[in-house]
Amino acid sequence: MTLTDQVRDERPPTAAPVAAPAPGAPQTQFISWATLAMMTTASVANLRPSPSMALFGLAAVFLYLLPAVVFLLPTALVSAELASGWPGGVYRWVSEGLSKPLGFLAVWCQFAMTIAYYPSLLAYVASTFAYIVDPSLADNGLYIAIVIVVIYWAGVLISSRGTKAVAGLSSAGLVVGTLIPGVVLVVLGMVFLAQGNPSAAPMDSSHVLPPWAGLASLVLIVNNFLSYAGMEMNGVHVAALREPGKDYPRAMFAATGLVLLIFILPALAISWVMPGKDLSLTAGVMQAFQGFFDHFGVGWLTKVVGVLLVAAALGGMLTWLAGPAKGLLMVSRQEGYLPPALQKLNRHGVPTTIMVAQGALTTVIALLYAFIPDVSSAYWIFSVVTTQIYLVVYLLMFAAAIRLRRTRPDAPRGFRVPALHLVAGVGFAASAAAMCIGFVPPEQFGGQPLWRYLLIVGGGLLTLGFLAPLAFLALRKPHWVAAEHRRDGAVE
């Protein structure tokens, strides 16, 4: 099924299996709900944020559960209703509920956030890989920058082979590089404690809540919004499900459970063995494995786990490469939001031109690691920029869901959220609060100029999140609409 075919697919969502295509029609490559759940989990969950939460020991549970209740759960529920009623992803949801320009803003931000996301994700990959070759490289900015550039472009080559290849690799990466190492980490932690060794972080009831140090403490919770971002991303693949109304909600709920387990338990295990003052935000997972394996006399296994963790991170990256670029391409061909030069597809139906343009910006950002002395600081800043841009998507998505329930209450939906206005309202309020708090520097940056932090975070949000899509909308031309979608040569 080509991208154009998916955009034009307007069949109503029903529980009945999709009828067989007519002879000569494009063949749909169906995927199961379990596969979609694994793809979604791979694009959301990993061990990467565990070190930053392990700093708080038992309080990490609270720091994960609070955003899960006010953000992850509303996102999973609302996206399930929207996808089962309006197949096509976040663009269609927002354009149907609000307007087409705002729909473009949503799908653009979903795509643009990856420009800042890839450097932070691949910095974690580079630091992890350093434990395989030379641990001292984990804090070397030039090494980090080189690895980011090389791995990103390798991912572009793999993604250009099509969605089916990406689905297989991302699911495999999730199992061998996240689930297995996560289970090993937790089991080792339990054995470590069972032997009578003291936990590096306090585990008593007085440490259930994190220490309060003013507004800056809330930045930690905001950073976890990014950890949960992406639950709705694979809504673009709902047309590839045989029974979208049932299968998509089922996939989202399964992915939610897996995501919570993958985040919380490894963070606790790391806090048992690694003192917070010694943790690196990029290499903390490998530090924990090194500590456990050295304790049990099998230090050589650290390199093996490093390979598995790299495989998981790369699987997640491939999912992100395929999803947002594909969504942006679909709506751009249909509505003419991007110039024809950026709408080109390869023979596998992959928007490689968009991915290459994105890669050029990603490369520039990656090189900043070579000039920022503290790798952990750069990692955190890019994570915040990514979160700010992506929160725009959620604000629009929650608003669209509320308006669609009010203006089109009888539209067929395979799944309906109980008390939608309350659920979506909580998600909207949490997203808005998180965006505001994101401009407050965390405690780790107390010694650096405030203007530098605000310039990077605010400038990144303004330039990538708003100015770029507004420029495309202002310059939009009728001939930018793909030939198969032109309606009297007019652009709405």
Side-chain angles (χ1 to χ4, degrees), residues 11 18 64 80 82 92 130 152 161 188 194 237 271 314 334 376 399 489:
R11 68 177 184 273
V18 179
Y64 272 124
L82 291 173
R92 187 176 178 197
Y152 175 82
R161 302 295 298 175
L188 288 176
H237 298 304
S271 71
L314 295 182
Q334 180 176 347
S376 289

Side-chain angles (χ1 to χ4, degrees), residues 108 111-119 122 145-157 317 320-321 325 328 342 351-368 464:
W108 170 268
F111 162 79
M113 58 79 66
T114 62
I115 296 174
Y117 170 77
Y118 293 134
L122 295 180
I146 293 174
V147 172
I148 291 173
V149 173
V150 171
I151 294 181
Y152 175 82
W153 289 106
V156 170
L157 291 176
M317 185 197 77
W320 280 101
L321 275 173
L328 180 63
L342 293 177
T352 50
T353 305
I354 292 179
M355 292 165 64
V356 168
Q358 175 187 27
L361 292 174
T362 300
T363 299
V364 172
I365 295 176
L367 294 178
L368 292 176
L464 293 177

Side-chain angles (χ1 to χ4, degrees), residues 1 12 42 75 93 123 145 152 159 174 176 247 253 263 277 280 284 311 336 351 408 419 459-460:
M1 188 179 200
T75 298
W93 305 342
Y152 175 82
S159 294
L174 171 67
V176 304
D247 290 347
F253 290 133
F263 279 145
K277 61 183 179 62
S280 164
R408 300 171 67 179

Side-chain angles (χ1 to χ4, degrees), residues 52-331:
S52 60
M53 291 302 104
L55 290 169
F56 301 91
L58 189 59
V61 177
F62 171 82
L63 292 172
Y64 272 124
L65 286 181
L66 179 60
V69 171
V70 301
F71 180 74
L72 174 63
L73 187 57
T75 298
L77 291 172
V78 170
S79 63
E81 172 168 329
L82 291 173
S84 67
W86 292 271
V90 70
Y91 169 75
R92 187 176 178 197
W93 305 342
V94 176
S95 62
E96 293 274 1
L98 302 176
S99 68
K100 286 189 175 182
L102 288 177
F104 174 65
L105 175 62
V107 77
W108 170 268
C109 286
Q110 192 179 55
F111 162 79
M113 58 79 66
T114 62
I115 296 174
Y117 170 77
Y118 293 134
S120 62
L121 170 65
L122 295 180
Y124 160 78
V125 172
S127 296
T128 301
F129 188 74
Y131 274 77
I132 302 174
V133 291
D134 182 2
S136 65
L137 292 173
D139 293 318
N140 186 305
L142 180 60
Y143 159 78
I144 299 293
I146 293 174
V147 172
I148 291 173
V149 173
V150 171
I151 294 181
Y152 175 82
W153 289 106
V156 170
L157 291 176
I158 294 173
S159 294
S160 66
R161 302 295 298 175
T163 303
K164 193 171 184 179
V166 170
L169 286 172
S170 62
S171 296
L174 171 67
V175 173
V176 304
T178 297
L179 297 182
I180 293 177
V183 169
V184 171
L185 188 63
V186 173
V187 170
L188 288 176
M190 291 179 175
V191 174
F192 178 80
L193 295 180
Q195 290 180 336
N197 297 294
S199 171
M203 289 289 130
D204 56 84
S205 59
S206 63
H207 292 82
V208 170
L209 297 178
W212 178 252
L215 191 59
S217 298
L218 295 177
V219 178
L220 293 167
I221 299 177
V222 172
N223 194 54
N224 276 349
F225 277 61
L226 172 63
S227 299
Y228 292 133
M231 287 298 292
E232 84 302 331
M233 186 190 71
N234 285 295
V236 73
H237 298 304
V238 73
L241 295 170
R242 293 186 182 276
E243 301 180 43
K246 291 183 178 180
D247 290 347
Y248 189 83
R250 189 181 300 170
M252 290 301 100
F253 290 133
T256 298
L258 285 173
V259 166
L260 285 172
L261 289 175
I262 291 171
F263 279 145
I264 293 175
L265 296 181
L268 290 177
I270 293 174
S271 71
W272 296 336
V273 70
M274 287 300 302
K277 61 183 179 62
D278 297 330
L279 268 176
S280 164
L281 295 184
T282 55
V285 175
M286 291 305 296
Q287 287 178 326
F289 274 113
Q290 184 77 66
F292 278 132
F293 289 144
D294 287 346
H295 173 78
F296 291 108
V298 287
W300 58 273
L301 283 176
T302 303
K303 297 182 185 297
V304 177
V305 171
V307 172
L308 297 180
L309 292 174
V310 168
L314 295 182
M317 185 197 77
L318 290 175
T319 302
W320 280 101
L321 275 173
K326 178 180 176 181
L328 180 63
L329 184 280
M330 289 195 302
V331 301

Side-chain angles (χ1 to χ4, degrees), residues 347-393:
R347 63 188 181 91
H348 297 287
V350 177
T352 50
T353 305
I354 292 179
M355 292 165 64
V356 168
Q358 175 187 27
L361 292 174
T362 300
T363 299
V364 172
I365 295 176
L367 294 178
L368 292 176
Y369 275 91
F371 301 100
I372 297 179
D374 186 353
V375 171
S376 289
S377 295
Y379 170 84
W380 191 285
I381 289 176
F382 289 132
S383 294
V384 173
V385 172
T386 302
T387 303
Q388 296 293 80
I389 295 173
Y390 211 26
L391 284 172
V392 175
V393 179

